[in-house]
Amino acid sequence: MDNIVITIAREYGSGGRTIGKMVAKSLNIPFYDREILRIASDISGISEQLFGQADEKLRGSHLFNIQKNVYDGSLISPDSDDYTSTRNLFNFQAKVIKGLAETESCVIVGRCADFILKDYDNAMSVFIYADEEFNFQRAMERNSMTESEMRKFIAKRNKYRGDYYKHYTGNEWWDARNYDLCLNSGRLGFDKCEEAILAYRKLRYDL
């Protein structure tokens, strides 16, 4: 297979982003996170700032938790009043993710990439998680918050990620059936998570 994409979803504090970067470095392939917003801005002509603000807009919407807007692959026309809607901004990010999967090997973190690429044979999906205390301790090392503030922050971030995923996919973010591989980074450690991802990649694609 010419190009293989690894998508990574992760709990806050579990180190999924770090592990994704480690995998990308080992394979000498690109790593994508917020870079997708810049590319989506370039191809749509919509300000990158709007893409960044879209997540905050959803976060503050009371409808976000109760409505679903499952991605169906469509794009809204530039002459529509909904061209810069949160739905269409997500659609453009999905367009970028599909374009990457069709042209290069890479690691993509977040943005429902596993769902967007669920019908792509060259895409493998990973979910990184850990127990609450591991995520808490690691998050405390990187942020200036009280223990109480940090625990609330982690819970809020994970709830948002779950709500975001369900809003655009109709599925539960934490459901293992959505992924090819689920890894507990607190038990394995980052290096062994990386090894597991690389080993699965080798087995899956007979490399």
Side-chain angles (χ1 to χ4, degrees):
M1 189 164 289
D2 293 336
N3 54 293
I4 298 170
V5 176
I6 301 169
T7 70
I8 296 182
R10 77 284 186 217
E11 289 184 338
Y12 188 86
S14 67
R17 190 173 189 275
T18 299
I19 293 166
K21 283 190 169 184
M22 291 166 63
V23 170
K25 183 176 180 180
S26 291
L27 295 173
N28 194 29
I29 59 177
F31 171 87
Y32 293 99
D33 185 3
R34 291 190 63 82
E35 295 83 359
I36 289 173
L37 302 185
R38 176 185 55 77
I39 301 171
S41 173
D42 289 343
I43 66 172
S44 66
I46 299 171
S47 166
E48 184 177 346
Q49 186 177 11
L50 282 181
F51 281 94
Q53 291 172 347
D55 288 355
E56 293 302 321
K57 185 176 180 181
L58 277 176
R59 199 192 309 269
S61 172
H62 70 283
L63 296 176
F64 181 44
N65 297 336
I66 59 177
Q67 285 188 349
K68 294 179 185 178
N69 197 358
V70 178
Y71 170 71
D72 61 4
S74 62
L75 282 170
I76 298 172
S77 170
D79 58 5
S80 170
D81 291 339
D82 290 331
Y83 186 63
T84 59
S85 65
T86 53
R87 174 188 175 189
N88 208 39
L89 294 176
F90 180 87
N91 292 349
F92 270 110
Q93 292 177 64
K95 178 180 175 67
V96 171
I97 289 168
K98 285 183 172 181
L100 293 172
E102 291 163 4
T103 57
E104 64 180 63
S105 293
C106 60
V107 175
I108 302 174
V109 171
R111 312 202 177 277
C112 304
D114 61 282
F115 181 82
I116 292 165
L117 300 179
K118 61 185 174 62
D119 296 324
Y120 283 62
D121 291 336
N122 67 323
M124 56 175 276
S125 55
V126 181
F127 185 77
I128 304 291
Y129 68 100
D131 63 72
E132 182 179 334
E133 199 58 28
F134 178 88
N135 291 345
F136 168 72
Q137 292 295 339
R138 186 169 178 274
M140 283 295 288
E141 293 173 0
R142 300 177 298 136
N143 296 277
S144 299
M145 295 185 190
T146 66
E147 289 192 9
S148 176
E149 288 172 339
M150 179 53 71
R151 291 190 188 280
K152 290 178 181 177
F153 179 79
I154 292 173
K156 187 175 181 180
R157 289 294 297 178
N158 284 334
K159 182 180 186 306
Y160 173 73
R161 288 178 181 180
D163 289 344
Y164 183 93
Y165 190 87
K166 190 166 187 176
H167 183 71
Y168 285 116
T169 72
N171 298 328
E172 298 293 346
W173 173 61
W174 43 262
D175 190 337
R177 291 171 295 185
N178 297 325
Y179 309 98
D180 297 313
L181 194 62
C182 295
L183 299 171
N184 186 328
S185 59
R187 291 187 177 178
L188 285 177
F190 291 3
D191 288 338
K192 288 186 178 179
C193 282
E194 178 195 7
E195 289 177 20
I197 293 169
L198 295 176
Y200 179 85
R201 176 180 178 273
K202 185 175 181 179
L203 286 170
R204 165 94 176 260
Y205 297 106
D206 195 24
L207 300 174

